[in-house]
Amino acid sequence: MGLELPGALRAALERELEGVSRRGLAERAARTSAAYRSGQGSAGVVRGLEDALAYALARLPATYAACATVLGEAARMAPGFAPKSVLDAGSGPAAASWAALEAWPGISGVTWLDESPPFLDLAGRLADGAPAPIRGSDRRRADLTAPGAGWPHADLVVASYALAEIAPARQADVVRSLWDACDGVLALVEPGTPAGFTRLLAARQALIAAGADVLAPCPHARDCPLAAPDWCHFSVRLPRSRDHRLAKGAEAPFEDEKFAYLVAARPGLAPAARSPRVLSHPRAGKPGIDLKLCGPEGLQARHVPRRDKPGHAAARRLGWGDVFEG
């Protein structure tokens, strides 16, 4: 069911949990989540390795699932893209780096940027047994809002759940710095909330102005056709382990992570053709299937009648976030 952590990462996390009070971690995870929701950043929330471990237990599976979904879509949209280097900005426990290695096994170099020593420490401990690029990653303590910090260039630059921790007045500068460091594809992942979408919408405008080619989820470079209270976001289902359920105070064996994202590329890296994307769960009824799409010409409502057997069969396989080729 859903996207699970890679075996080596799951085993490393279990090793870190050996002998650690699950109740204590659950309490730390609850305090950490409340602090993040109140607007505090990692520097004020994750003060030591136990805080970082509690965060990883509660959030690493969902963050990995969202990143794996986004980077898998980037690989699909740019089939000729074969990155050798990754810059994981605001890396935290480095979920995005693990997801990048799953999408592109040919990656040979990984750099982590994070302001939090406990996160960098935990990410390094979780790298024991990881593929060589992660195990040998270049780990740098860095403030993403500090311009001219000498970030290395990379074929793939990823910032997952990072813009949310940056003051709104500084976000545009950070996006420009990320784009300056990118030689190929830039992927931004944020919570699937109206605020997360607003941050990505501003990043999208800045990147298009800088000459970027938007690959996903948008099938066009025109103004976003969505208007409040609607917003562009997606969902991925992931399984919960017993420890994960305890950390979240949840009973369900699965979790639906809502996320928003943007994938941009240097011009000419991917084919120009774009297909409409499904913006919500398809609605199936006796007459057929109704789809809400964002296409090259803007928002579309598409009905695929049951009598169109090939089209209906294809539409039945579509999910929220998929592209519509009909």
Side-chain angles (χ1 to χ4, degrees), residues 14-25:
E14 289 171 356
R15 285 195 300 272
E16 290 297 314
L17 292 170
E18 290 177 3
V20 179
S21 167
R22 301 304 196 267
R23 184 176 299 277
L25 285 179

Side-chain angles (χ1 to χ4, degrees), residues 261-275:
Y261 77 99
L262 181 70
V263 177
R266 292 292 172 183
L269 191 146
R274 300 287 188 271
S275 297

Side-chain angles (χ1 to χ4, degrees), residues 2-268:
L3 283 168
E4 295 189 73
L5 293 175
L9 179 54
R10 189 168 60 251
L13 184 58
E14 289 171 356
R15 285 195 300 272
E16 290 297 314
L17 292 170
E18 290 177 3
V20 179
S21 167
R22 301 304 196 267
R23 184 176 299 277
L25 285 179
E27 291 172 354
R28 284 179 181 271
R31 289 197 300 269
T32 299
S33 295
Y36 274 119
R37 285 195 296 270
S38 71
Q40 294 187 52
S42 294
V45 175
V46 179
R47 299 178 181 274
L49 185 59
E50 287 189 344
D51 291 329
L53 184 58
Y55 174 91
L57 181 60
R59 287 295 302 157
L60 183 60
T63 302
Y64 172 81
C67 289
T69 301
V70 170
L71 296 181
E73 182 63 9
R76 188 193 69 81
M77 291 296 297
F81 180 55
K84 296 298 182 184
S85 55
V86 177
L87 178 63
D88 189 347
S91 55
S97 297
W98 286 83
L101 263 290
E102 289 289 314
W104 294 283
I107 288 170
S108 57
V110 175
T111 299
W112 297 337
L113 300 179
D114 204 288
E115 193 176 6
S116 168
F119 269 147
L120 289 172
D121 185 15
L122 178 62
R125 294 165 70 101
L126 294 176
D128 184 28
I134 292 179
R135 197 168 61 250
S137 60
D138 179 7
R139 303 157 196 184
R140 305 188 185 190
R141 186 179 181 188
D143 177 359
L144 297 188
T145 65
W151 298 355
H153 279 233
D155 300 325
L156 172 67
V157 176
V158 187
S160 63
Y161 299 84
L163 292 179
E165 295 195 31
I166 296 169
R170 306 299 301 276
Q171 289 171 14
D173 289 339
V174 172
V175 170
R176 280 191 289 269
S177 295
L178 293 169
W179 181 241
D180 288 343
C182 176
D183 291 333
V185 166
L186 169 62
L188 304 174
V189 187
E190 287 289 303
T193 61
F197 169 62
T198 298
R199 287 189 290 271
L200 290 178
L201 195 59
R204 178 182 184 268
Q205 294 170 339
L207 289 168
I208 290 173
D213 184 9
V214 175
L215 299 189
C218 315
H220 57 78
R222 299 179 358 212
D223 289 345
C224 177
L226 291 177
D230 203 358
W231 74 98
C232 186
H233 66 295
F234 305 94
S235 179
V236 59
R237 176 160 291 187
L238 58 135
R240 281 180 175 147
S241 68
R242 179 180 176 277
D243 286 332
H244 190 192
R245 291 198 300 273
L246 179 61
K248 302 282 286 191
E251 296 182 0
F254 64 87
E255 178 176 337
D256 291 321
E257 172 71 0
K258 303 292 196 302
F259 64 95
Y261 77 99
L262 181 70
V263 177
R266 292 292 172 183

